[in-house]
Amino acid sequence: ITYVGELGYEIFVPVEFAMHVYDNIMKYGEAFQLKHAGLRALGSLRMEKGYRDYGHDMDNTDTLLECGLGFTCDFEKENGFIGMYHVIDQKLKAREEGGLKKKMAQVLLKDPKYLLHHGEIVLRNGKMISDIRSASYGHSLKGAVGLTMLESNTDPINKKYIANGEWEIAIGDELVPCEVFLAPLYDPRNKKIKV
């Protein structure tokens, strides 16, 4: 299980053993240069990997397909799942139209001196298209990285749509060039989390 883009583990221990387990992890972790990391580190790592956070990056107005989470659907599940037929209909419509007209994407600023936080406006060919839903500095990517929900009234959002756009983000009174990606920037094939 991971929320940071690297192979990881969640440890569940009874409260009365928590200090003993923690002390041993820190003791044996010295050989691996184990260090404490806080919530901002978690946010930075998940952002590089493009992992979504319900309530920040997506909410109940976004569909699984728009969020890029269609792979989580089990269409063979006995009795299906709530909303399954809506997902199937949206999938068929997207196939007919060449893609969805609303889709989660990752953005990376080209200049590492700028930071992203939340709410910055994303522009495509000089026109506002979306805003940054959440962001952080991506240390592995050497620049600010964020998630945005792109919306188009006309064209499907696919690789061609991304490639044919000039992308910028409004930071203060400046328009800062950025790159836009539909696949995760960090380890897009998940090789680091599979053993």
Side-chain angles (χ1 to χ4, degrees):
I1 295 176
T2 181
Y3 194 55
V4 296
E6 297 281 349
L7 184 62
Y9 303 90
E10 290 188 20
I11 302 171
F12 297 90
V13 291
V15 173
E16 61 270 20
F17 298 121
M19 286 305 297
H20 172 75
V21 171
Y22 168 79
D23 289 339
N24 276 288
I25 288 172
M26 295 309 297
K27 176 182 168 186
Y28 293 104
E30 284 180 19
F32 303 98
Q33 300 177 333
L34 182 69
K35 300 206 182 330
H36 289 99
L39 189 58
R40 288 285 183 194
L42 176 74
S44 174
L45 293 167
R46 86 165 181 89
M47 201 54 49
E48 289 186 333
K49 185 66 176 146
Y51 285 148
R52 281 76 163 134
D53 184 347
Y54 186 82
H56 290 280
D57 313 318
M58 58 187 182
D59 61 29
N60 62 340
T61 65
D62 305 313
T63 69
L64 286 169
L65 298 179
E66 292 165 350
C67 292
L69 297 175
F71 68 93
T72 65
C73 298
D74 182 358
F75 296 103
E76 305 300 319
K77 180 179 178 183
E78 187 177 338
N79 300 320
F81 57 87
I82 296 172
M84 182 173 83
Y85 296 108
H86 178 74
V87 175
I88 291 170
D89 289 346
Q90 188 179 34
K91 204 172 189 175
L92 292 172
K93 184 177 179 187
R95 194 173 295 145
E96 290 171 7
E97 296 180 354
L100 298 166
K101 292 187 179 166
K102 180 179 174 188
K103 195 159 187 176
M104 181 77 63
Q106 211 172 9
V107 297
L108 177 66
L109 293 181
K110 292 182 178 182
D111 188 335
K113 77 176 181 181
Y114 293 93
L115 297 177
L116 293 172
H117 300 284
H118 174 88
E120 294 88 353
I121 302 301
V122 178
L123 297 98
R124 179 181 184 266
N125 299 329
K127 294 185 179 163
M128 185 179 99
I129 186 170
S130 65
D131 67 335
I132 299 297
R133 292 198 173 180
S134 61
S136 187
Y137 188 83
H139 295 274
S140 300
L141 303 173
K142 305 206 180 334
V145 61
L147 289 172
T148 186
M149 183 65 78
L150 301 176
E151 293 191 54
S152 168
N153 293 327
T154 54
D155 301 316
I157 298 171
N158 52 32
K159 290 179 185 177
K160 181 180 174 186
Y161 181 84
I162 301 297
N164 289 337
E166 182 181 326
W167 297 91
E168 299 169 304
I169 298 179
I171 300 176
D173 62 353
E174 295 183 61
L175 294 179
V176 180
C178 69
E179 295 177 90
V180 178
F181 303 87
L182 295 175
L185 289 165
Y186 185 81
D187 188 29
R189 298 196 187 283
N190 293 325
K191 290 180 180 178
K192 293 182 178 270
I193 60 175
K194 295 177 181 173
V195 290

